[in-house]
Amino acid sequence: MAVHKNSPINTLAQIKGQKVVFQKSSASHYFIIKALEEVGLKYSDIKVLSMPNVEARGAFIQGTIPVWVTGDPHLALVEKLHSARVLRDATNIATPGGYYVGTGEFARENLKLLRIILEEIDKNGQWAEANRKEVAKLIAPVLKIDLPIQ
């Protein structure tokens, strides 16, 4: 969760009533709910604006949003190039991971196929963890980020 370097917001509790931007139905959505709970706030205590990360990054850089909930590489970019401050990171907040949607009928009729798909997704994740620099090269153009961002 990032704020601008000169933001008067210094604690998580101070985001009450603020516009908070993140992409709904994402790990950031889960993260903000759990982070708010830590300080006794409710989801309804903030003004939620859902926006894809690439768009939110531009709005954050322009100063039109006070609080942005995102992860790397977007967070690293605004920290490095725009002196954003991290208000709260994900330490001790475990995200639930990804999810996939399909009909019950398809799942029941294709159990072997689903197992293969999930195993391949897991293999891709393991490869990505072991080859972070290669992954960065692959996703940088899609995320519109220049390398290296660390």
Side-chain angles (χ1 to χ4, degrees):
M1 180 181 320
V3 296
H4 298 277
K5 65 180 176 182
N6 297 324
S7 172
I9 300 169
N10 293 306
T11 68
L12 187 57
Q14 291 175 322
I15 70 169
K16 184 175 183 173
Q18 295 292 321
K19 181 171 30 172
V20 179
V21 176
F22 57 90
Q23 190 162 345
K24 284 188 178 180
S25 301
S26 69
S28 294
H29 192 161
Y30 180 84
F31 168 81
I32 189 65
I33 291 169
K34 292 299 182 185
L36 290 169
E37 287 174 359
E38 284 181 350
V39 295
L41 294 177
K42 296 181 219 153
Y43 190 69
S44 59
D45 288 330
I46 61 172
K47 298 174 186 169
V48 173
L49 178 59
S50 180
M51 188 181 299
N53 278 318
V54 173
E55 291 176 29
R57 185 178 71 214
F60 183 83
I61 290 167
Q62 292 173 2
T64 60
I65 56 176
V67 182
W68 182 28
V69 181
T70 190
D72 287 331
H74 304 286
L75 182 58
L77 179 83
V78 295
E79 280 184 283
K80 182 177 180 178
L81 301 178
H82 303 285
S83 301
R85 274 190 297 117
V86 175
L87 192 59
R88 171 70 165 92
D89 66 17
T91 302
N92 297 322
I93 296 180
T95 61
Y99 56 90
Y100 307 94
V101 178
T103 65
E105 179 183 359
F106 178 85
R108 286 187 297 277
E109 293 176 3
N110 296 281
L111 290 175
K112 288 181 183 179
L113 176 61
L114 288 178
R115 178 177 298 268
I116 292 168
I117 291 169
L118 293 173
E119 287 171 353
E120 290 302 313
I121 290 170
D122 186 53
K123 287 179 193 175
N124 284 339
Q126 290 175 25
W127 180 87
E129 282 295 320
N131 298 279
R132 290 176 173 241
K133 288 184 180 181
E134 188 64 26
V135 171
K137 289 178 191 173
L138 292 170
I139 67 170
V142 175
L143 297 177
K144 300 177 183 168
I145 293 175
D146 295 324
L147 293 175
I149 290 296
Q150 301 174 9

